[in-house]
């Protein structure tokens, strides 16, 4: 449970090689004319199999509920109904094999048993359900909204627990099994995507999902007062502490946190400001991908454009600047940074118009 064909279009190649178009727009249309459309084609051509399976090549070419949800969010935002339907159908055929509405978290192409673990991943279910809501609205398929409501109900029923130190405060478990024991909850802050939780709470009537969003924001604020928000925490009756056997660094899990918070309208959150300051110390042309959560020291860097895009957006949010040094989309970067790069651009358009790429 601890996770972590090149371009076919000349337009996409132009954007990837020569930078942002002069007429970069601040709105998304539904007809494929928006500036992100060629970038979506680049992402789709490289990371989406025609079957509807989103492929994470560095992770054994596996597919995850997270990746399916991520891809479907992108397809809904881009108005690509065909890609959205293929991803939804593949997910329902291959991951929706539990006795409830949640998805098995991983599908492997190189094992006799494609899904050896039926446990779910709460962030995967969250993004999948959110994507279904977006798809239902964009493409007019009411059944997807009902499917999202079923996922929301089971997330609340099976993946919400109370903080041991604050028994009236709900938190999101990483999965149904394996992350809770007597007096202890293992918590992954990057599984909190506030805007998705809020949208799903409203659409499903599951108010506890809104409470989970608020408690996650409060917990991250508490942690960020003393350092960076790490990949994993253990919540005990004595408060949060590092979780044995899990990363205490701010790494490939937590790198998503400033992006998610900005996208959700929380650009001034202490976790965003702290991450922006720490990431800004990376050498030019690189992104800090693993940092010591206490000292902020950079332990590992990457040149992948998607990780640099997060740092640029966070820096612009923290500085209140005009324009962000978001690098051009790179078609050849792996699935994870490529997807986060697309999310950065969606978030910038949605909530930080002043941070347009420069």
């Amino acid at each position: 449970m601890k996770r972590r064909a090149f371009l076919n279009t000349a337009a996409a190649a132009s954007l990837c090689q020569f930078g942002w178009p002069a007429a970069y727009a601040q709105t998304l249309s539904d007809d494929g004319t928006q500036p992100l459309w060629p970038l979506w084609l680049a992402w789709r051509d490289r990371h989406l199999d025609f079957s509807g399976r989103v492929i994470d090549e560095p992770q054994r070419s596996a597919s995850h509920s997270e990746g399916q949800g991520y891809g479907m969010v992108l397809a809904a935002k881009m108005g690509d109904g065909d890609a959205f339907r293929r991803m939804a159908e593949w997910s329902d055929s291959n991951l929706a094999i539990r006795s409830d509405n949640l998805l098995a978290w991983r599908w492997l192409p190189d094992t006799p048993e494609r899904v050896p673990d039926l446990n779910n991943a709460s962030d995967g279910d969250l993004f999948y359900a959110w994507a279904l809501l977006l798809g239902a609205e964009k493409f007019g398929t009411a059944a997807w909204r009902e499917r999202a409501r079923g996922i929301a109900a089971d997330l609340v029923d099976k993946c919400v627990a109370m903080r041991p130190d604050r028994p009236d405060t709900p938190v999101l478990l990483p999965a149904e099994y394996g992350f809770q024991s007597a007096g202890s909850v293992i918590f992954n802050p990057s599984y909190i995507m506030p805007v998705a939780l809020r949208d799903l709470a409203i659409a499903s009537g599951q108010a506890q999902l809104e409470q989970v969003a608020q408690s996650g924001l409060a917990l991250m604020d508490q942690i960020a007062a003393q350092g960076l928000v790490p990949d994993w925490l253990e919540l005990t009756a004595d408060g949060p502490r590092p979780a044995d056997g899990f990363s205490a660094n701010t790494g490939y899990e937590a790198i998503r946190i400033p992006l998610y918070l900005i996208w959700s309208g929380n650009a001034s959150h202490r976790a965003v400001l702290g991450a922006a300051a720490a990431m800004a110390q990376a050498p030019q042309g690189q992104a800090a991908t693993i940092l010591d959560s206490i000292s902020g020291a950079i332990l590992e860097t990457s040149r992948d454009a998607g990780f640099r895009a997060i740092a640029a957006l966070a820096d612009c949010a923290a500085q209140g600047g005009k324009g962000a040094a978001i690098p051009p989309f790179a078609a050849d970067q792996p699935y994870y940074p490529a997807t986060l790069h697309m999310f950065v651009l969606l978030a910038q358009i949605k909530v930080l118009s002043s941070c347009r790429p420069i």
Side-chain angles (χ1 to χ4, degrees), residues 92-113:
D92 282 344
S93 296
N94 294 277
L95 297 178
I97 56 176
R98 292 166 48 102
S99 61
D100 54 24
N101 290 293
L102 306 179
L103 301 179
W105 75 282
R106 183 175 62 167
W107 186 96
L108 295 168
D110 58 355
T111 61
E113 188 177 7

Side-chain angles (χ1 to χ4, degrees), residues 316-327:
C316 186
Q319 301 297 329
K322 302 295 183 182
I326 299 172

Side-chain angles (χ1 to χ4, degrees), residues 82-98:
D82 177 67
F84 187 95
R85 289 182 179 87
R86 285 189 282 123
M87 284 183 275
E89 290 173 0
W90 187 92
S91 302
D92 282 344
S93 296
N94 294 277
L95 297 178
I97 56 176
R98 292 166 48 102

Side-chain angles (χ1 to χ4, degrees), residues 179-247:
F179 296 92
Q180 184 178 20
S181 58
S184 172
V185 169
I186 303 298
F187 180 70
N188 186 319
S190 72
Y191 281 30
I192 300 298
M193 173 50 159
V195 66
L197 287 162
R198 293 170 186 144
D199 287 353
L200 196 55
I202 292 169
S204 66
Q206 299 290 337
Q208 202 167 48
L209 293 177
E210 167 68 23
Q211 297 170 19
V212 162
Q214 290 304 114
S215 70
L217 288 168
L219 177 56
M220 284 188 271
D221 186 70
Q222 176 187 353
I223 299 300
Q226 301 175 355
L228 300 177
V229 180
D231 292 335
W232 295 88
L233 290 165
E234 182 180 8
L235 307 181
T236 72
D238 296 324
R241 67 186 187 191
D244 291 342
F246 294 83
S247 167

